[in-house]
PDB file of all heavy atoms in Angstrom:
ATOM      1  N   ALA A  36       1.478   3.792  -2.618  1.00  0.00           N
ATOM      2  CA  ALA A  36       1.543   4.085  -4.060  1.00  0.00           C
ATOM      3  C   ALA A  36       2.572   3.195  -4.755  1.00  0.00           C
ATOM      4  O   ALA A  36       2.323   2.694  -5.858  1.00  0.00           O
ATOM      5  CB  ALA A  36       1.862   5.558  -4.282  1.00  0.00           C
ATOM      6  N   SER A  37       3.711   2.974  -4.118  1.00  0.00           N
ATOM      7  CA  SER A  37       4.739   2.111  -4.716  1.00  0.00           C
ATOM      8  C   SER A  37       4.231   0.689  -4.875  1.00  0.00           C
ATOM      9  O   SER A  37       4.435   0.055  -5.919  1.00  0.00           O
ATOM     10  CB  SER A  37       6.009   2.113  -3.866  1.00  0.00           C
ATOM     11  OG  SER A  37       6.615   3.375  -3.892  1.00  0.00           O
ATOM     12  N   ALA A  38       3.563   0.165  -3.862  1.00  0.00           N
ATOM     13  CA  ALA A  38       3.025  -1.194  -3.931  1.00  0.00           C
ATOM     14  C   ALA A  38       1.949  -1.291  -5.011  1.00  0.00           C
ATOM     15  O   ALA A  38       1.910  -2.249  -5.786  1.00  0.00           O
ATOM     16  CB  ALA A  38       2.461  -1.607  -2.571  1.00  0.00           C
ATOM     17  N   PHE A  39       1.080  -0.275  -5.072  1.00  0.00           N
ATOM     18  CA  PHE A  39       0.028  -0.276  -6.085  1.00  0.00           C
ATOM     19  C   PHE A  39       0.628  -0.262  -7.480  1.00  0.00           C
ATOM     20  O   PHE A  39       0.243  -1.057  -8.345  1.00  0.00           O
ATOM     21  CB  PHE A  39      -0.890   0.937  -5.886  1.00  0.00           C
ATOM     22  CG  PHE A  39      -2.061   0.931  -6.812  1.00  0.00           C
ATOM     23  CD1 PHE A  39      -3.249   0.334  -6.423  1.00  0.00           C
ATOM     24  CD2 PHE A  39      -1.980   1.489  -8.073  1.00  0.00           C
ATOM     25  CE1 PHE A  39      -4.336   0.308  -7.285  1.00  0.00           C
ATOM     26  CE2 PHE A  39      -3.054   1.473  -8.943  1.00  0.00           C
ATOM     27  CZ  PHE A  39      -4.239   0.874  -8.543  1.00  0.00           C
ATOM     28  N   ASN A  40       1.567   0.641  -7.718  1.00  0.00           N
ATOM     29  CA  ASN A  40       2.165   0.774  -9.044  1.00  0.00           C
ATOM     30  C   ASN A  40       3.018  -0.429  -9.431  1.00  0.00           C
ATOM     31  O   ASN A  40       3.225  -0.688 -10.615  1.00  0.00           O
ATOM     32  CB  ASN A  40       2.957   2.078  -9.148  1.00  0.00           C
ATOM     33  CG  ASN A  40       2.031   3.275  -9.186  1.00  0.00           C
ATOM     34  OD1 ASN A  40       0.921   3.217  -9.701  1.00  0.00           O
ATOM     35  ND2 ASN A  40       2.470   4.374  -8.606  1.00  0.00           N
ATOM     36  N   ALA A  41       3.486  -1.182  -8.436  1.00  0.00           N
ATOM     37  CA  ALA A  41       4.211  -2.423  -8.701  1.00  0.00           C
ATOM     38  C   ALA A  41       3.251  -3.606  -8.863  1.00  0.00           C
ATOM     39  O   ALA A  41       3.678  -4.730  -9.102  1.00  0.00           O
ATOM     40  CB  ALA A  41       5.199  -2.705  -7.566  1.00  0.00           C
ATOM     41  N   ASN A  42       1.944  -3.326  -8.700  1.00  0.00           N
ATOM     42  CA  ASN A  42       0.908  -4.363  -8.750  1.00  0.00           C
ATOM     43  C   ASN A  42       1.201  -5.487  -7.758  1.00  0.00           C
ATOM     44  O   ASN A  42       1.051  -6.665  -8.054  1.00  0.00           O
ATOM     45  CB  ASN A  42       0.750  -4.903 -10.175  1.00  0.00           C
ATOM     46  CG  ASN A  42      -0.587  -5.577 -10.365  1.00  0.00           C
ATOM     47  OD1 ASN A  42      -1.577  -5.196  -9.749  1.00  0.00           O
ATOM     48  ND2 ASN A  42      -0.624  -6.587 -11.219  1.00  0.00           N
ATOM     49  N   ASP A  43       1.643  -5.090  -6.566  1.00  0.00           N
ATOM     50  CA  ASP A  43       2.057  -6.036  -5.531  1.00  0.00           C
ATOM     51  C   ASP A  43       1.003  -6.071  -4.422  1.00  0.00           C
ATOM     52  O   ASP A  43       1.065  -5.327  -3.441  1.00  0.00           O
ATOM     53  CB  ASP A  43       3.420  -5.612  -4.977  1.00  0.00           C
ATOM     54  CG  ASP A  43       4.060  -6.657  -4.104  1.00  0.00           C
ATOM     55  OD1 ASP A  43       3.326  -7.438  -3.460  1.00  0.00           O
ATOM     56  OD2 ASP A  43       5.309  -6.699  -4.056  1.00  0.00           O
ATOM     57  N   LEU A  44       0.014  -6.945  -4.608  1.00  0.00           N
ATOM     58  CA  LEU A  44      -1.096  -7.047  -3.654  1.00  0.00           C
ATOM     59  C   LEU A  44      -0.615  -7.440  -2.267  1.00  0.00           C
ATOM     60  O   LEU A  44      -1.091  -6.911  -1.258  1.00  0.00           O
ATOM     61  CB  LEU A  44      -2.143  -8.037  -4.162  1.00  0.00           C
ATOM     62  CG  LEU A  44      -3.383  -8.202  -3.280  1.00  0.00           C
ATOM     63  CD1 LEU A  44      -4.161  -6.889  -3.196  1.00  0.00           C
ATOM     64  CD2 LEU A  44      -4.258  -9.321  -3.821  1.00  0.00           C
ATOM     65  N   GLU A  45       0.328  -8.365  -2.196  1.00  0.00           N
ATOM     66  CA  GLU A  45       0.838  -8.801  -0.890  1.00  0.00           C
ATOM     67  C   GLU A  45       1.456  -7.630  -0.134  1.00  0.00           C
ATOM     68  O   GLU A  45       1.224  -7.461   1.064  1.00  0.00           O
ATOM     69  CB  GLU A  45       1.860  -9.917  -1.081  1.00  0.00           C
ATOM     70  CG  GLU A  45       2.355 -10.507   0.225  1.00  0.00           C
ATOM     71  CD  GLU A  45       3.331 -11.654  -0.014  1.00  0.00           C
ATOM     72  OE1 GLU A  45       3.266 -12.322  -1.057  1.00  0.00           O
ATOM     73  OE2 GLU A  45       4.177 -11.861   0.871  1.00  0.00           O
ATOM     74  N   TRP A  46       2.236  -6.813  -0.831  1.00  0.00           N
ATOM     75  CA  TRP A  46       2.877  -5.668  -0.180  1.00  0.00           C
ATOM     76  C   TRP A  46       1.833  -4.648   0.277  1.00  0.00           C
ATOM     77  O   TRP A  46       1.865  -4.187   1.418  1.00  0.00           O
ATOM     78  CB  TRP A  46       3.880  -5.035  -1.126  1.00  0.00           C
ATOM     79  CG  TRP A  46       4.694  -3.899  -0.564  1.00  0.00           C
ATOM     80  CD1 TRP A  46       4.846  -3.573   0.756  1.00  0.00           C
ATOM     81  CD2 TRP A  46       5.473  -2.963  -1.287  1.00  0.00           C
ATOM     82  NE1 TRP A  46       5.679  -2.473   0.897  1.00  0.00           N
ATOM     83  CE2 TRP A  46       6.071  -2.083  -0.362  1.00  0.00           C
ATOM     84  CE3 TRP A  46       5.728  -2.780  -2.644  1.00  0.00           C
ATOM     85  CZ2 TRP A  46       6.911  -1.039  -0.742  1.00  0.00           C
ATOM     86  CZ3 TRP A  46       6.567  -1.749  -3.014  1.00  0.00           C
ATOM     87  CH2 TRP A  46       7.152  -0.884  -2.073  1.00  0.00           C
ATOM     88  N   ILE A  47       0.886  -4.328  -0.605  1.00  0.00           N
ATOM     89  CA  ILE A  47      -0.096  -3.313  -0.237  1.00  0.00           C
ATOM     90  C   ILE A  47      -0.944  -3.791   0.942  1.00  0.00           C
ATOM     91  O   ILE A  47      -1.265  -3.010   1.839  1.00  0.00           O
ATOM     92  CB  ILE A  47      -0.955  -2.883  -1.454  1.00  0.00           C
ATOM     93  CG1 ILE A  47      -1.486  -1.464  -1.251  1.00  0.00           C
ATOM     94  CG2 ILE A  47      -2.062  -3.841  -1.741  1.00  0.00           C
ATOM     95  CD1 ILE A  47      -2.059  -0.844  -2.502  1.00  0.00           C
ATOM     96  N   CYS A  48      -1.273  -5.067   0.984  1.00  0.00           N
ATOM     97  CA  CYS A  48      -2.058  -5.602   2.104  1.00  0.00           C
ATOM     98  C   CYS A  48      -1.263  -5.579   3.409  1.00  0.00           C
ATOM     99  O   CYS A  48      -1.841  -5.410   4.486  1.00  0.00           O
ATOM    100  CB  CYS A  48      -2.534  -7.017   1.798  1.00  0.00           C
ATOM    101  SG  CYS A  48      -3.817  -7.062   0.525  1.00  0.00           S
ATOM    102  N   SER A  49       0.060  -5.699   3.317  1.00  0.00           N
ATOM    103  CA  SER A  49       0.888  -5.673   4.521  1.00  0.00           C
ATOM    104  C   SER A  49       0.928  -4.288   5.159  1.00  0.00           C
ATOM    105  O   SER A  49       1.411  -4.134   6.280  1.00  0.00           O
ATOM    106  CB  SER A  49       2.315  -6.148   4.209  1.00  0.00           C
ATOM    107  OG  SER A  49       3.044  -5.151   3.498  1.00  0.00           O
ATOM    108  N   LEU A  50       0.397  -3.278   4.467  1.00  0.00           N
ATOM    109  CA  LEU A  50       0.390  -1.913   4.985  1.00  0.00           C
ATOM    110  C   LEU A  50      -0.834  -1.619   5.851  1.00  0.00           C
ATOM    111  O   LEU A  50      -1.002  -0.505   6.339  1.00  0.00           O
ATOM    112  CB  LEU A  50       0.458  -0.914   3.825  1.00  0.00           C
ATOM    113  CG  LEU A  50       1.686  -1.036   2.929  1.00  0.00           C
ATOM    114  CD1 LEU A  50       1.588  -0.078   1.749  1.00  0.00           C
ATOM    115  CD2 LEU A  50       2.965  -0.798   3.715  1.00  0.00           C
ATOM    116  N   TYR A  51      -1.690  -2.623   6.053  1.00  0.00           N
ATOM    117  CA  TYR A  51      -2.910  -2.481   6.856  1.00  0.00           C
ATOM    118  C   TYR A  51      -2.823  -3.334   8.120  1.00  0.00           C
ATOM    119  O   TYR A  51      -2.248  -4.415   8.092  1.00  0.00           O
ATOM    120  CB  TYR A  51      -4.135  -2.928   6.051  1.00  0.00           C
ATOM    121  CG  TYR A  51      -4.509  -1.980   4.936  1.00  0.00           C
ATOM    122  CD1 TYR A  51      -3.876  -2.049   3.704  1.00  0.00           C
ATOM    123  CD2 TYR A  51      -5.483  -1.008   5.128  1.00  0.00           C
ATOM    124  CE1 TYR A  51      -4.203  -1.172   2.674  1.00  0.00           C
ATOM    125  CE2 TYR A  51      -5.827  -0.128   4.107  1.00  0.00           C
ATOM    126  CZ  TYR A  51      -5.174  -0.220   2.881  1.00  0.00           C
ATOM    127  OH  TYR A  51      -5.497   0.648   1.876  1.00  0.00           O
ATOM    128  N   THR A  52      -3.447  -2.847   9.202  1.00  0.00           N
ATOM    129  CA  THR A  52      -3.561  -3.662  10.408  1.00  0.00           C
ATOM    130  C   THR A  52      -4.557  -4.788  10.129  1.00  0.00           C
ATOM    131  O   THR A  52      -5.371  -4.696   9.201  1.00  0.00           O
ATOM    132  CB  THR A  52      -4.055  -2.840  11.622  1.00  0.00           C
ATOM    133  OG1 THR A  52      -5.391  -2.401  11.380  1.00  0.00           O
ATOM    134  CG2 THR A  52      -3.150  -1.649  11.905  1.00  0.00           C
ATOM    135  N   ASP A  53      -4.513  -5.834  10.931  1.00  0.00           N
ATOM    136  CA  ASP A  53      -5.431  -6.968  10.744  1.00  0.00           C
ATOM    137  C   ASP A  53      -6.888  -6.567  10.896  1.00  0.00           C
ATOM    138  O   ASP A  53      -7.770  -7.184  10.309  1.00  0.00           O
ATOM    139  CB  ASP A  53      -5.107  -8.092  11.738  1.00  0.00           C
ATOM    140  CG  ASP A  53      -3.797  -8.791  11.418  1.00  0.00           C
ATOM    141  OD1 ASP A  53      -3.326  -8.685  10.273  1.00  0.00           O
ATOM    142  OD2 ASP A  53      -3.242  -9.434  12.330  1.00  0.00           O
ATOM    143  N   THR A  54      -7.154  -5.544  11.702  1.00  0.00           N
ATOM    144  CA  THR A  54      -8.534  -5.129  11.977  1.00  0.00           C
ATOM    145  C   THR A  54      -8.887  -3.817  11.275  1.00  0.00           C
ATOM    146  O   THR A  54      -9.840  -3.139  11.661  1.00  0.00           O
ATOM    147  CB  THR A  54      -8.751  -4.979  13.493  1.00  0.00           C
ATOM    148  OG1 THR A  54      -7.811  -4.010  13.993  1.00  0.00           O
ATOM    149  CG2 THR A  54      -8.553  -6.307  14.208  1.00  0.00           C
ATOM    150  N   ALA A  55      -8.148  -3.456  10.248  1.00  0.00           N
ATOM    151  CA  ALA A  55      -8.368  -2.193   9.541  1.00  0.00           C
ATOM    152  C   ALA A  55      -9.753  -2.141   8.904  1.00  0.00           C
ATOM    153  O   ALA A  55     -10.428  -3.159   8.731  1.00  0.00           O
ATOM    154  CB  ALA A  55      -7.293  -2.009   8.467  1.00  0.00           C
ATOM    155  N   MET A  56     -10.129  -0.921   8.538  1.00  0.00           N
ATOM    156  CA  MET A  56     -11.420  -0.673   7.900  1.00  0.00           C
ATOM    157  C   MET A  56     -11.191   0.249   6.709  1.00  0.00           C
ATOM    158  O   MET A  56     -10.396   1.186   6.787  1.00  0.00           O
ATOM    159  CB  MET A  56     -12.345   0.000   8.911  1.00  0.00           C
ATOM    160  CG  MET A  56     -13.678   0.372   8.417  1.00  0.00           C
ATOM    161  SD  MET A  56     -14.520   1.180   9.806  1.00  0.00           S
ATOM    162  CE  MET A  56     -16.086   1.427   9.089  1.00  0.00           C
ATOM    163  N   SER A  57     -11.889  -0.032   5.608  1.00  0.00           N
ATOM    164  CA  SER A  57     -11.759   0.783   4.403  1.00  0.00           C
ATOM    165  C   SER A  57     -13.142   1.007   3.798  1.00  0.00           C
ATOM    166  O   SER A  57     -13.978   0.102   3.791  1.00  0.00           O
ATOM    167  CB  SER A  57     -10.847   0.085   3.385  1.00  0.00           C
ATOM    168  OG  SER A  57     -10.700   0.874   2.233  1.00  0.00           O
TER     169      SER A  57
END
Side-chain angles (χ1 to χ4, degrees):
S37 293
F39 185 91
N40 289 328
N42 200 32
D43 191 331
L44 182 63
E45 185 178 333
W46 184 16
I47 206 167
C48 289
S49 74
L50 301 175
Y51 289 83
T52 66
D53 290 341
T54 58
M56 178 182 184
S57 181

